[in-house]
Structures are given as C-alpha cells and as structure tokens.
Amino acid sequence: MLARSFAFLLLVAAALADSSGARSGAFYFLLAAGPVIIVSGLMTFGDLAEAKGLERELVLGAQGVLTFLALVLVVVVVGSGPGPLDDVSVPLLGVSALGACLGIFAVQAVLSLVGRVLASSRRRDGFYARAGEEFATAEHIGL
C-alpha cells in the first residue's frame, strides 16, 4: 500500500514537473516510479499468495494485474519522451499513458476500499467458547 502511494506521488510529481517546464525532472520522476511500481506489484502478489478468502484473492489479483498495466504505461511514457537532455514536452501518447496510469492507481485505491469493506462485512461479532462447539455470540451465553 505504501509503495503504491509512493509510486502515485512520483507520477503526480512527474506530471507537475512536466507542466511547469522542468522536463528533465519529469523524466527522472518517471524513471524512479518504475522500480517502485515493480516493488508494489511484487508485494501485491506476495499478499495474494498468503490471501484467505475468495473476495480478498479477487481484489488482490485485480490489483496485481492493474499494477502490471501501470508499469507498462510508465514504460510507454518514458519510451515516448525525448529523454532528459532535450527540452521538449512529452508527446501526446506519453501524456495519455500518464493519465491512464494515474487512473489505474485511482481504481486500485477504490479496489482496496472495496476489499476492506468486504473483509469487515464478513467478520462476525462472536467467539468460540471451546474447541468443537458451535459459534456462540454474547446473546447466547448471557453476556
């Protein structure tokens, strides 16, 4: 989650640097976002390997795929640009890819919230009194 937030901030910084005229700064922000997105994807797939429950697996799987798409879009943005030495703005393909990448991170944030809501709705307010007994709530045992 923290790596994804840091990657989003790097992409926003790249967009702001490009719009303010600091083209080489935007290039280096984009270049730094690549490894951060890779780490975020690896962390997501690690969480997916340890996930329990179908809802959590679906949310983490979708986030993993979206992270891969975000990495591909960052590579497109970096590849479409002129590089750090030329003082030329990012072409329309790069701007579109950067906007789509920021949109992917917004979708991932919504997916994360949906996953948390689904996980909290599945929790029950009760406990097992002893091993082998059925689920008991506070009302059943008189608390």
Side-chain angles (χ1 to χ4, degrees):
M1 179 82 166
L2 186 62
R4 199 173 340 169
S5 301
F6 186 59
F8 178 77
L9 289 177
L10 284 172
L11 292 175
V12 169
L16 292 175
D18 186 56
S19 67
S20 68
R23 311 285 187 241
S24 62
F27 176 79
Y28 288 118
F29 279 130
L30 285 170
L31 206 58
V36 175
I37 292 174
I38 290 172
V39 168
S40 172
L42 290 174
M43 290 171 61
T44 301
F45 282 116
D47 290 343
L48 179 62
E50 296 176 354
K52 295 179 183 174
L54 181 62
E55 294 92 2
R56 182 148 171 81
E57 289 175 358
L58 288 175
V59 168
L60 288 172
Q63 284 183 345
V65 170
L66 289 173
T67 302
F68 175 73
L69 288 175
L71 179 64
V72 169
L73 288 172
V74 166
V75 170
V76 167
V77 173
V78 171
S80 70
L85 300 178
D86 295 335
D87 195 24
V88 179
S89 181
V90 176
L92 187 59
L93 173 67
V95 172
S96 299
L98 183 60
C101 191
L102 291 172
I104 284 174
F105 279 106
V107 169
Q108 282 185 331
V110 169
L111 271 176
S112 179
L113 289 174
V114 166
R116 288 178 188 235
V117 167
L118 287 175
S120 68
S121 68
R122 301 276 300 185
R123 291 188 195 134
R124 296 181 180 169
D125 294 329
F127 60 91
Y128 288 95
R130 280 184 254 156
E133 291 186 5
E134 292 188 24
F135 187 74
T137 62
E139 295 171 351
H140 288 103
I141 57 175
L143 292 179

